[in-house]
Amino acid sequence: MLKKTLLALTFTSLAVAAFAQQTGIKRTPLQKVEFPDGYNTVTAIAEVPAGGAAGRHTHPGVETGYVLEGELNLLVDGQPEKTLKAGDSYQIPAGVVHDAKAHGDKAMKVLGVYIVDKSKPLASPAP
């Protein structure tokens, strides 16, 4: 059981690191809890530099977040674009393609909570 858990953590960490490197986004994992059954609840800080974007991607579960600093344009497939500022929150359904772009001349920082299928990577790039 311990080996399975360590292997899953390794793959999740590698997937997050690879995704972050591909898109220029900085993700800082804060906490991971194996709950509910079959899922991981991951809390992380995501930072996008001024003029940058997270890149179109999906998560194998729900994402909810809170904007800590800056402003962002949140683009969620099937929804109108939203501009969010510090103090705003958002939700993204499981498997929906989305992107977050820093708005204006400042970086943006969000606190994200992901409740994702623990057998899959935290995030996957989307076309």
Side-chain angles (χ1 to χ4, degrees):
M1 178 68 172
L2 180 59
K3 285 184 182 182
K4 277 186 171 181
T5 301
L6 290 174
L7 187 59
L9 284 172
T10 300
F11 282 129
T12 299
S13 297
L14 290 174
V16 170
F19 184 64
Q21 288 173 356
Q22 290 172 353
T23 63
I25 189 172
K26 178 183 174 187
R27 291 185 192 268
T28 306
L30 300 175
Q31 179 175 272
K32 179 180 173 188
V33 179
E34 291 188 24
F35 180 83
D37 191 36
Y39 289 83
N40 285 325
T41 298
V42 179
T43 305
I45 299 285
E47 299 175 74
V48 176
R56 289 173 52 84
H57 63 284
T58 63
H59 301 285
V62 175
E63 173 184 355
T64 184
Y66 179 80
V67 182
L68 296 168
E69 296 177 10
E71 292 185 6
L72 65 110
N73 293 330
L74 182 63
L75 299 99
V76 179
D77 280 8
Q79 298 180 14
E81 181 176 323
K82 297 174 188 163
T83 300
L84 305 173
K85 62 184 181 335
D88 290 340
S89 61
Y90 61 90
Q91 304 81 36
I92 300 167
V96 174
V97 176
H98 59 284
D99 193 0
K101 297 180 179 181
H103 181 79
D105 60 352
K106 294 184 180 178
M108 65 93 166
K109 184 188 290 189
V110 299
L111 173 67
V113 178
Y114 310 86
I115 303 171
V116 294
D117 181 330
K118 71 180 186 178
S119 69
K120 297 180 181 176
L122 175 63
S124 299

Tab-separated table of all heavy atoms in Angstrom, residues 3-68:
chain	number	residue	atom	x	y	z
A	3	LYS	N	3.905	1.571	-1.139
A	3	LYS	CA	4.538	1.716	-2.448
A	3	LYS	C	3.566	2.333	-3.458
A	3	LYS	O	3.953	3.184	-4.247
A	3	LYS	CB	5.042	0.363	-2.963
A	3	LYS	CG	6.298	-0.120	-2.282
A	3	LYS	CD	6.782	-1.399	-2.899
A	3	LYS	CE	8.011	-1.901	-2.160
A	3	LYS	NZ	8.549	-3.121	-2.741
A	4	LYS	N	2.304	1.898	-3.427
A	4	LYS	CA	1.299	2.455	-4.338
A	4	LYS	C	1.107	3.948	-4.089
A	4	LYS	O	1.025	4.747	-5.014
A	4	LYS	CB	-0.049	1.739	-4.169
A	4	LYS	CG	-0.179	0.472	-4.924
A	4	LYS	CD	-1.601	-0.037	-4.764
A	4	LYS	CE	-1.868	-1.191	-5.679
A	4	LYS	NZ	-3.240	-1.684	-5.554
A	5	THR	N	1.035	4.323	-2.827
A	5	THR	CA	0.846	5.724	-2.468
A	5	THR	C	2.034	6.564	-2.924
A	5	THR	O	1.861	7.635	-3.506
A	5	THR	CB	0.635	5.875	-0.950
A	5	THR	OG1	-0.498	5.108	-0.583
A	5	THR	CG2	0.439	7.323	-0.550
A	6	LEU	N	3.249	6.078	-2.670
A	6	LEU	CA	4.442	6.812	-3.088
A	6	LEU	C	4.522	6.927	-4.608
A	6	LEU	O	4.871	7.981	-5.139
A	6	LEU	CB	5.703	6.134	-2.540
A	6	LEU	CG	5.906	6.244	-1.033
A	6	LEU	CD1	7.110	5.419	-0.591
A	6	LEU	CD2	6.074	7.691	-0.621
A	7	LEU	N	4.155	5.853	-5.305
A	7	LEU	CA	4.156	5.880	-6.761
A	7	LEU	C	3.142	6.895	-7.281
A	7	LEU	O	3.437	7.683	-8.186
A	7	LEU	CB	3.843	4.485	-7.317
A	7	LEU	CG	3.967	4.307	-8.825
A	7	LEU	CD1	5.378	4.635	-9.292
A	7	LEU	CD2	3.603	2.880	-9.207
A	8	ALA	N	1.949	6.917	-6.699
A	8	ALA	CA	0.919	7.865	-7.117
A	8	ALA	C	1.375	9.304	-6.859
A	8	ALA	O	1.172	10.186	-7.696
A	8	ALA	CB	-0.392	7.597	-6.391
A	9	LEU	N	1.983	9.558	-5.704
A	9	LEU	CA	2.487	10.900	-5.397
A	9	LEU	C	3.570	11.321	-6.375
A	9	LEU	O	3.609	12.471	-6.815
A	9	LEU	CB	3.030	10.946	-3.966
A	9	LEU	CG	2.000	10.993	-2.859
A	9	LEU	CD1	2.683	10.836	-1.498
A	9	LEU	CD2	1.219	12.285	-2.899
A	10	THR	N	4.452	10.387	-6.736
A	10	THR	CA	5.518	10.683	-7.685
A	10	THR	C	4.939	11.071	-9.038
A	10	THR	O	5.322	12.076	-9.629
A	10	THR	CB	6.465	9.476	-7.837
A	10	THR	OG1	7.038	9.194	-6.565
A	10	THR	CG2	7.572	9.762	-8.844
A	11	PHE	N	3.990	10.272	-9.544
A	11	PHE	CA	3.377	10.584	-10.840
A	11	PHE	C	2.642	11.908	-10.796
A	11	PHE	O	2.715	12.695	-11.736
A	11	PHE	CB	2.438	9.462	-11.295
A	11	PHE	CG	3.149	8.269	-11.855
A	11	PHE	CD1	2.865	7.006	-11.397
A	11	PHE	CD2	4.118	8.414	-12.840
A	11	PHE	CE1	3.520	5.905	-11.916
A	11	PHE	CE2	4.785	7.316	-13.360
A	11	PHE	CZ	4.483	6.053	-12.895
A	12	THR	N	1.911	12.169	-9.724
A	12	THR	CA	1.184	13.438	-9.607
A	12	THR	C	2.157	14.610	-9.600
A	12	THR	O	1.956	15.597	-10.294
A	12	THR	CB	0.319	13.457	-8.335
A	12	THR	OG1	-0.625	12.390	-8.421
A	12	THR	CG2	-0.413	14.767	-8.178
A	13	SER	N	3.235	14.499	-8.835
A	13	SER	CA	4.234	15.569	-8.770
A	13	SER	C	4.884	15.801	-10.123
A	13	SER	O	5.079	16.939	-10.543
A	13	SER	CB	5.311	15.231	-7.739
A	13	SER	OG	4.741	15.151	-6.464
A	14	LEU	N	5.223	14.714	-10.823
A	14	LEU	CA	5.830	14.848	-12.145
A	14	LEU	C	4.868	15.478	-13.138
A	14	LEU	O	5.254	16.315	-13.947
A	14	LEU	CB	6.296	13.478	-12.658
A	14	LEU	CG	7.498	12.880	-11.934
A	14	LEU	CD1	7.762	11.457	-12.431
A	14	LEU	CD2	8.733	13.736	-12.113
A	15	ALA	N	3.609	15.087	-13.082
A	15	ALA	CA	2.607	15.648	-13.998
A	15	ALA	C	2.434	17.142	-13.744
A	15	ALA	O	2.368	17.940	-14.680
A	15	ALA	CB	1.271	14.929	-13.843
A	16	VAL	N	2.358	17.528	-12.481
A	16	VAL	CA	2.217	18.947	-12.139
A	16	VAL	C	3.450	19.714	-12.595
A	16	VAL	O	3.347	20.778	-13.200
A	16	VAL	CB	1.978	19.137	-10.627
A	16	VAL	CG1	2.088	20.598	-10.237
A	16	VAL	CG2	0.625	18.580	-10.248
A	17	ALA	N	4.633	19.171	-12.331
A	17	ALA	CA	5.868	19.850	-12.725
A	17	ALA	C	5.968	19.979	-14.240
A	17	ALA	O	6.318	21.034	-14.767
A	17	ALA	CB	7.081	19.092	-12.180
A	18	ALA	N	5.647	18.922	-14.969
A	18	ALA	CA	5.701	18.964	-16.431
A	18	ALA	C	4.706	19.976	-16.973
A	18	ALA	O	5.024	20.750	-17.869
A	18	ALA	CB	5.429	17.576	-17.011
A	19	PHE	N	3.500	19.984	-16.431
A	19	PHE	CA	2.476	20.925	-16.889
A	19	PHE	C	2.921	22.355	-16.605
A	19	PHE	O	2.800	23.236	-17.444
A	19	PHE	CB	1.140	20.618	-16.223
A	19	PHE	CG	0.023	21.474	-16.718
A	19	PHE	CD1	-0.402	21.406	-18.035
A	19	PHE	CD2	-0.601	22.366	-15.869
A	19	PHE	CE1	-1.421	22.209	-18.492
A	19	PHE	CE2	-1.629	23.162	-16.314
A	19	PHE	CZ	-2.034	23.083	-17.631
A	20	ALA	N	3.456	22.592	-15.434
A	20	ALA	CA	3.905	23.932	-15.061
A	20	ALA	C	5.024	24.404	-15.991
A	20	ALA	O	5.029	25.548	-16.428
A	20	ALA	CB	4.362	23.958	-13.609
A	21	GLN	N	5.971	23.530	-16.307
A	21	GLN	CA	7.075	23.915	-17.169
A	21	GLN	C	6.597	24.212	-18.586
A	21	GLN	O	7.093	25.115	-19.232
A	21	GLN	CB	8.126	22.810	-17.199
A	21	GLN	CG	8.895	22.705	-15.907
A	21	GLN	CD	9.823	21.500	-15.883
A	21	GLN	OE1	9.850	20.699	-16.799
A	21	GLN	NE2	10.572	21.370	-14.805
A	22	GLN	N	5.615	23.473	-19.067
A	22	GLN	CA	5.122	23.670	-20.418
A	22	GLN	C	4.426	25.018	-20.568
A	22	GLN	O	4.432	25.592	-21.636
A	22	GLN	CB	4.139	22.562	-20.798
A	22	GLN	CG	4.780	21.216	-20.992
A	22	GLN	CD	3.746	20.127	-21.181
A	22	GLN	OE1	2.555	20.346	-21.035
A	22	GLN	NE2	4.213	18.938	-21.496
A	23	THR	N	3.792	25.509	-19.545
A	23	THR	CA	2.937	26.678	-19.680
A	23	THR	C	3.481	27.937	-19.022
A	23	THR	O	2.914	28.991	-19.208
A	23	THR	CB	1.553	26.381	-19.078
A	23	THR	OG1	1.709	26.132	-17.691
A	23	THR	CG2	0.893	25.199	-19.741
A	24	GLY	N	4.530	27.876	-18.228
A	24	GLY	CA	5.061	29.038	-17.535
A	24	GLY	C	4.349	29.336	-16.234
A	24	GLY	O	4.721	30.251	-15.523
A	25	ILE	N	3.336	28.581	-15.898
A	25	ILE	CA	2.617	28.781	-14.645
A	25	ILE	C	3.433	28.160	-13.509
A	25	ILE	O	4.088	27.145	-13.689
A	25	ILE	CB	1.204	28.171	-14.710
A	25	ILE	CG1	0.375	28.560	-13.486
A	25	ILE	CG2	1.254	26.678	-14.867
A	25	ILE	CD1	-1.086	28.153	-13.577
A	26	LYS	N	3.404	28.816	-12.366
A	26	LYS	CA	4.076	28.275	-11.190
A	26	LYS	C	3.013	27.724	-10.255
A	26	LYS	O	2.102	28.443	-9.857
A	26	LYS	CB	4.876	29.365	-10.473
A	26	LYS	CG	5.556	28.881	-9.215
A	26	LYS	CD	6.273	30.011	-8.512
A	26	LYS	CE	6.827	29.554	-7.189
A	26	LYS	NZ	7.379	30.672	-6.424
A	27	ARG	N	3.100	26.451	-9.927
A	27	ARG	CA	2.168	25.821	-8.996
A	27	ARG	C	2.941	25.409	-7.740
A	27	ARG	O	3.976	24.772	-7.838
A	27	ARG	CB	1.523	24.589	-9.609
A	27	ARG	CG	0.576	24.883	-10.732
A	27	ARG	CD	-0.109	23.592	-11.182
A	27	ARG	NE	-0.814	23.773	-12.425
A	27	ARG	CZ	-2.086	24.122	-12.510
A	27	ARG	NH1	-2.793	24.331	-11.432
A	27	ARG	NH2	-2.661	24.260	-13.684
A	28	THR	N	2.384	25.777	-6.603
A	28	THR	CA	2.985	25.405	-5.328
A	28	THR	C	1.990	24.538	-4.575
A	28	THR	O	0.989	25.040	-4.052
A	28	THR	CB	3.318	26.661	-4.489
A	28	THR	OG1	4.134	27.534	-5.271
A	28	THR	CG2	4.021	26.289	-3.202
A	29	PRO	N	2.217	23.215	-4.551
A	29	PRO	CA	1.311	22.343	-3.803
A	29	PRO	C	1.390	22.655	-2.311
A	29	PRO	O	2.471	22.846	-1.761
A	29	PRO	CB	1.844	20.934	-4.082
A	29	PRO	CG	2.795	21.072	-5.225
A	29	PRO	CD	3.284	22.483	-5.207
A	30	LEU	N	0.240	22.755	-1.671
A	30	LEU	CA	0.198	23.038	-0.237
A	30	LEU	C	-0.221	21.818	0.571
A	30	LEU	O	0.295	21.592	1.659
A	30	LEU	CB	-0.787	24.190	0.040
A	30	LEU	CG	-0.483	25.517	-0.638
A	30	LEU	CD1	-1.605	26.511	-0.355
A	30	LEU	CD2	0.852	26.052	-0.189
A	31	GLN	N	-1.173	21.065	0.030
A	31	GLN	CA	-1.718	19.941	0.793
A	31	GLN	C	-2.385	18.955	-0.155
A	31	GLN	O	-2.948	19.349	-1.169
A	31	GLN	CB	-2.751	20.476	1.777
A	31	GLN	CG	-3.418	19.423	2.629
A	31	GLN	CD	-4.320	20.073	3.652
A	31	GLN	OE1	-3.882	20.417	4.725
A	31	GLN	NE2	-5.572	20.241	3.307
A	32	LYS	N	-2.305	17.687	0.190
A	32	LYS	CA	-2.989	16.644	-0.572
A	32	LYS	C	-3.611	15.676	0.423
A	32	LYS	O	-2.938	15.201	1.336
A	32	LYS	CB	-2.005	15.903	-1.470
A	32	LYS	CG	-2.646	14.797	-2.263
A	32	LYS	CD	-1.604	14.111	-3.114
A	32	LYS	CE	-2.185	12.897	-3.773
A	32	LYS	NZ	-1.172	12.105	-4.450
A	33	VAL	N	-4.911	15.407	0.235
A	33	VAL	CA	-5.648	14.518	1.123
A	33	VAL	C	-6.337	13.458	0.267
A	33	VAL	O	-6.978	13.803	-0.730
A	33	VAL	CB	-6.716	15.288	1.937
A	33	VAL	CG1	-7.491	14.361	2.845
A	33	VAL	CG2	-6.076	16.408	2.733
A	34	GLU	N	-6.206	12.210	0.615
A	34	GLU	CA	-6.892	11.150	-0.119
A	34	GLU	C	-8.327	11.050	0.376
A	34	GLU	O	-8.654	10.243	1.240
A	34	GLU	CB	-6.148	9.826	0.052
A	34	GLU	CG	-4.811	9.825	-0.656
A	34	GLU	CD	-4.151	8.463	-0.671
A	34	GLU	OE1	-4.842	7.433	-0.561
A	34	GLU	OE2	-2.920	8.442	-0.786
A	35	PHE	N	-9.168	11.932	-0.188
A	35	PHE	CA	-10.578	12.000	0.199
A	35	PHE	C	-11.324	12.794	-0.852
A	35	PHE	O	-10.776	13.776	-1.361
A	35	PHE	CB	-10.734	12.694	1.564
A	35	PHE	CG	-12.153	12.794	2.025
A	35	PHE	CD1	-12.763	11.722	2.656
A	35	PHE	CD2	-12.892	13.939	1.787
A	35	PHE	CE1	-14.085	11.813	3.065
A	35	PHE	CE2	-14.211	14.027	2.199
A	35	PHE	CZ	-14.803	12.958	2.835
A	36	PRO	N	-12.526	12.423	-1.216
A	36	PRO	CA	-13.271	11.234	-0.812
A	36	PRO	C	-12.708	9.976	-1.479
A	36	PRO	O	-11.752	10.064	-2.242
A	36	PRO	CB	-14.692	11.530	-1.285
A	36	PRO	CG	-14.528	12.466	-2.433
A	36	PRO	CD	-13.277	13.260	-2.136
A	37	ASP	N	-13.314	8.842	-1.200
A	37	ASP	CA	-12.825	7.566	-1.710
A	37	ASP	C	-12.631	7.615	-3.226
A	37	ASP	O	-13.536	8.011	-3.955
A	37	ASP	CB	-13.813	6.448	-1.342
A	37	ASP	CG	-13.239	5.073	-1.599
A	37	ASP	OD1	-12.022	4.890	-1.387
A	37	ASP	OD2	-14.007	4.187	-2.033
A	38	GLY	N	-11.432	7.264	-3.673
A	38	GLY	CA	-11.117	7.260	-5.093
A	38	GLY	C	-10.622	8.599	-5.624
A	38	GLY	O	-10.286	8.714	-6.801
A	39	TYR	N	-10.588	9.606	-4.779
A	39	TYR	CA	-10.183	10.955	-5.193
A	39	TYR	C	-9.086	11.501	-4.290
A	39	TYR	O	-8.924	11.063	-3.155
A	39	TYR	CB	-11.378	11.919	-5.136
A	39	TYR	CG	-12.395	11.658	-6.198
A	39	TYR	CD1	-13.360	10.674	-6.036
A	39	TYR	CD2	-12.395	12.386	-7.378
A	39	TYR	CE1	-14.301	10.416	-7.020
A	39	TYR	CE2	-13.331	12.142	-8.370
A	39	TYR	CZ	-14.274	11.159	-8.182
A	39	TYR	OH	-15.202	10.906	-9.161
A	40	ASN	N	-8.380	12.477	-4.809
A	40	ASN	CA	-7.458	13.276	-4.018
A	40	ASN	C	-7.998	14.699	-3.992
A	40	ASN	O	-8.471	15.212	-5.010
A	40	ASN	CB	-6.061	13.312	-4.635
A	40	ASN	CG	-5.312	12.018	-4.439
A	40	ASN	OD1	-5.449	11.358	-3.413
A	40	ASN	ND2	-4.520	11.637	-5.427
A	41	THR	N	-7.926	15.322	-2.835
A	41	THR	CA	-8.235	16.736	-2.724
A	41	THR	C	-6.898	17.447	-2.585
A	41	THR	O	-6.148	17.193	-1.638
A	41	THR	CB	-9.150	17.007	-1.517
A	41	THR	OG1	-10.382	16.299	-1.719
A	41	THR	CG2	-9.438	18.487	-1.365
A	42	VAL	N	-6.592	18.281	-3.569
A	42	VAL	CA	-5.299	18.949	-3.641
A	42	VAL	C	-5.530	20.453	-3.510
A	42	VAL	O	-6.365	21.025	-4.212
A	42	VAL	CB	-4.597	18.652	-4.989
A	42	VAL	CG1	-3.262	19.374	-5.077
A	42	VAL	CG2	-4.425	17.151	-5.181
A	43	THR	N	-4.770	21.075	-2.620
A	43	THR	CA	-4.807	22.527	-2.456
A	43	THR	C	-3.463	23.065	-2.938
A	43	THR	O	-2.416	22.528	-2.571
A	43	THR	CB	-5.036	22.902	-0.982
A	43	THR	OG1	-6.214	22.252	-0.520
A	43	THR	CG2	-5.175	24.397	-0.811
A	44	ALA	N	-3.503	24.107	-3.769
A	44	ALA	CA	-2.272	24.646	-4.336
A	44	ALA	C	-2.436	26.130	-4.642
A	44	ALA	O	-3.544	26.632	-4.797
A	44	ALA	CB	-1.919	23.902	-5.620
A	45	ILE	N	-1.306	26.789	-4.739
A	45	ILE	CA	-1.249	28.177	-5.204
A	45	ILE	C	-0.785	28.118	-6.657
A	45	ILE	O	0.177	27.419	-6.982
A	45	ILE	CB	-0.236	29.014	-4.391
A	45	ILE	CG1	-0.603	29.063	-2.910
A	45	ILE	CG2	-0.081	30.407	-4.996
A	45	ILE	CD1	-1.759	29.948	-2.573
A	46	ALA	N	-1.466	28.838	-7.534
A	46	ALA	CA	-1.050	28.944	-8.929
A	46	ALA	C	-0.756	30.408	-9.224
A	46	ALA	O	-1.538	31.290	-8.866
A	46	ALA	CB	-2.145	28.426	-9.852
A	47	GLU	N	0.393	30.653	-9.859
A	47	GLU	CA	0.803	32.010	-10.197
A	47	GLU	C	1.085	32.104	-11.692
A	47	GLU	O	1.740	31.238	-12.255
A	47	GLU	CB	2.065	32.392	-9.430
A	47	GLU	CG	1.874	32.374	-7.917
A	47	GLU	CD	3.172	32.632	-7.176
A	47	GLU	OE1	3.621	33.801	-7.161
A	47	GLU	OE2	3.715	31.664	-6.617
A	48	VAL	N	0.576	33.154	-12.307
A	48	VAL	CA	0.800	33.402	-13.728
A	48	VAL	C	1.396	34.800	-13.847
A	48	VAL	O	0.836	35.764	-13.309
A	48	VAL	CB	-0.521	33.298	-14.532
A	48	VAL	CG1	-0.287	33.660	-15.990
A	48	VAL	CG2	-1.107	31.897	-14.420
A	49	PRO	N	2.541	34.932	-14.529
A	49	PRO	CA	3.163	36.259	-14.650
A	49	PRO	C	2.333	37.197	-15.510
A	49	PRO	O	1.484	36.767	-16.293
A	49	PRO	CB	4.511	35.942	-15.318
A	49	PRO	CG	4.301	34.654	-16.032
A	49	PRO	CD	3.274	33.895	-15.239
A	50	ALA	N	2.589	38.496	-15.375
A	50	ALA	CA	1.896	39.515	-16.180
A	50	ALA	C	1.994	39.149	-17.656
A	50	ALA	O	3.053	38.768	-18.140
A	50	ALA	CB	2.522	40.882	-15.928
A	51	GLY	N	0.869	39.198	-18.330
A	51	GLY	CA	0.836	38.873	-19.744
A	51	GLY	C	0.839	37.391	-20.054
A	51	GLY	O	0.761	36.996	-21.202
A	52	GLY	N	0.926	36.562	-19.033
A	52	GLY	CA	1.003	35.117	-19.225
A	52	GLY	C	-0.348	34.437	-19.104
A	52	GLY	O	-1.354	35.059	-18.759
A	53	ALA	N	-0.332	33.159	-19.395
A	53	ALA	CA	-1.541	32.354	-19.304
A	53	ALA	C	-1.195	30.971	-18.789
A	53	ALA	O	-0.087	30.474	-19.011
A	53	ALA	CB	-2.209	32.239	-20.667
A	54	ALA	N	-2.140	30.359	-18.107
A	54	ALA	CA	-1.943	28.994	-17.616
A	54	ALA	C	-1.880	28.016	-18.774
A	54	ALA	O	-1.214	26.997	-18.700
A	54	ALA	CB	-3.079	28.616	-16.664
A	55	GLY	N	-2.579	28.323	-19.848
A	55	GLY	CA	-2.664	27.406	-20.981
A	55	GLY	C	-3.933	26.571	-20.865
A	55	GLY	O	-4.373	26.231	-19.760
A	56	ARG	N	-4.540	26.254	-22.011
A	56	ARG	CA	-5.772	25.461	-22.014
A	56	ARG	C	-5.482	24.080	-21.437
A	56	ARG	O	-4.536	23.423	-21.863
A	56	ARG	CB	-6.317	25.364	-23.439
A	56	ARG	CG	-6.897	26.682	-23.933
A	56	ARG	CD	-7.293	26.647	-25.392
A	56	ARG	NE	-8.156	25.541	-25.748
A	56	ARG	CZ	-9.486	25.522	-25.602
A	56	ARG	NH1	-10.097	26.577	-25.100
A	56	ARG	NH2	-10.194	24.473	-25.969
A	57	HIS	N	-6.314	23.704	-20.469
A	57	HIS	CA	-6.098	22.424	-19.801
A	57	HIS	C	-7.394	21.933	-19.173
A	57	HIS	O	-8.392	22.651	-19.148
A	57	HIS	CB	-4.991	22.539	-18.758
A	57	HIS	CG	-5.301	23.481	-17.629
A	57	HIS	ND1	-5.241	24.856	-17.763
A	57	HIS	CD2	-5.709	23.252	-16.351
A	57	HIS	CE1	-5.567	25.426	-16.606
A	57	HIS	NE2	-5.868	24.476	-15.734
A	58	THR	N	-7.360	20.717	-18.642
A	58	THR	CA	-8.492	20.132	-17.928
A	58	THR	C	-7.988	19.503	-16.639
A	58	THR	O	-6.788	19.293	-16.460
A	58	THR	CB	-9.192	19.029	-18.753
A	58	THR	OG1	-8.262	17.960	-18.962
A	58	THR	CG2	-9.712	19.551	-20.077
A	59	HIS	N	-8.938	19.193	-15.759
A	59	HIS	CA	-8.654	18.442	-14.532
A	59	HIS	C	-9.652	17.290	-14.467
A	59	HIS	O	-10.811	17.457	-14.847
A	59	HIS	CB	-8.838	19.331	-13.292
A	59	HIS	CG	-7.971	20.544	-13.293
A	59	HIS	ND1	-6.629	20.499	-13.023
A	59	HIS	CD2	-8.266	21.843	-13.549
A	59	HIS	CE1	-6.134	21.721	-13.104
A	59	HIS	NE2	-7.109	22.554	-13.429
A	60	PRO	N	-9.229	16.140	-13.947
A	60	PRO	CA	-10.145	14.994	-13.842
A	60	PRO	C	-11.029	15.088	-12.594
A	60	PRO	O	-11.179	14.130	-11.838
A	60	PRO	CB	-9.196	13.800	-13.774
A	60	PRO	CG	-8.003	14.340	-13.052
A	60	PRO	CD	-7.873	15.776	-13.538
A	61	GLY	N	-11.558	16.257	-12.370
A	61	GLY	CA	-12.415	16.520	-11.223
A	61	GLY	C	-12.694	18.010	-11.143
A	61	GLY	O	-12.274	18.787	-11.995
A	62	VAL	N	-13.373	18.402	-10.116
A	62	VAL	CA	-13.800	19.789	-9.928
A	62	VAL	C	-12.636	20.659	-9.450
A	62	VAL	O	-11.811	20.228	-8.647
A	62	VAL	CB	-14.940	19.835	-8.884
A	62	VAL	CG1	-15.334	21.261	-8.550
A	62	VAL	CG2	-16.134	19.045	-9.380
A	63	GLU	N	-12.594	21.891	-9.956
A	63	GLU	CA	-11.658	22.899	-9.452
A	63	GLU	C	-12.478	24.053	-8.902
A	63	GLU	O	-13.428	24.515	-9.527
A	63	GLU	CB	-10.751	23.430	-10.559
A	63	GLU	CG	-9.881	24.591	-10.099
A	63	GLU	CD	-9.028	25.214	-11.195
A	63	GLU	OE1	-9.027	24.703	-12.325
A	63	GLU	OE2	-8.384	26.233	-10.904
A	64	THR	N	-12.107	24.526	-7.742
A	64	THR	CA	-12.686	25.743	-7.194
A	64	THR	C	-11.510	26.602	-6.737
A	64	THR	O	-10.467	26.076	-6.340
A	64	THR	CB	-13.678	25.449	-6.040
A	64	THR	OG1	-14.274	26.668	-5.604
A	64	THR	CG2	-13.015	24.763	-4.877
A	65	GLY	N	-11.665	27.906	-6.835
A	65	GLY	CA	-10.532	28.741	-6.507
A	65	GLY	C	-10.924	30.114	-6.000
A	65	GLY	O	-12.088	30.530	-6.089
A	66	TYR	N	-9.915	30.794	-5.503
A	66	TYR	CA	-10.062	32.124	-4.917
A	66	TYR	C	-8.886	32.968	-5.405
A	66	TYR	O	-7.722	32.556	-5.274
A	66	TYR	CB	-10.048	32.008	-3.392
A	66	TYR	CG	-10.171	33.323	-2.665
A	66	TYR	CD1	-11.411	33.933	-2.500
A	66	TYR	CD2	-9.048	33.951	-2.132
A	66	TYR	CE1	-11.532	35.136	-1.821
A	66	TYR	CE2	-9.155	35.155	-1.446
A	66	TYR	CZ	-10.403	35.743	-1.306
A	66	TYR	OH	-10.528	36.938	-0.641
A	67	VAL	N	-9.171	34.136	-5.970
A	67	VAL	CA	-8.118	35.008	-6.490
A	67	VAL	C	-7.487	35.758	-5.321
A	67	VAL	O	-8.158	36.515	-4.620
A	67	VAL	CB	-8.671	35.998	-7.537
A	67	VAL	CG1	-7.539	36.864	-8.102
A	67	VAL	CG2	-9.412	35.257	-8.650
A	68	LEU	N	-6.196	35.522	-5.119
A	68	LEU	CA	-5.460	36.154	-4.024
A	68	LEU	C	-4.880	37.508	-4.430
A	68	LEU	O	-4.883	38.447	-3.629
A	68	LEU	CB	-4.321	35.252	-3.562
A	68	LEU	CG	-4.725	33.906	-2.960
A	68	LEU	CD1	-3.509	32.999	-2.819
A	68	LEU	CD2	-5.399	34.123	-1.625
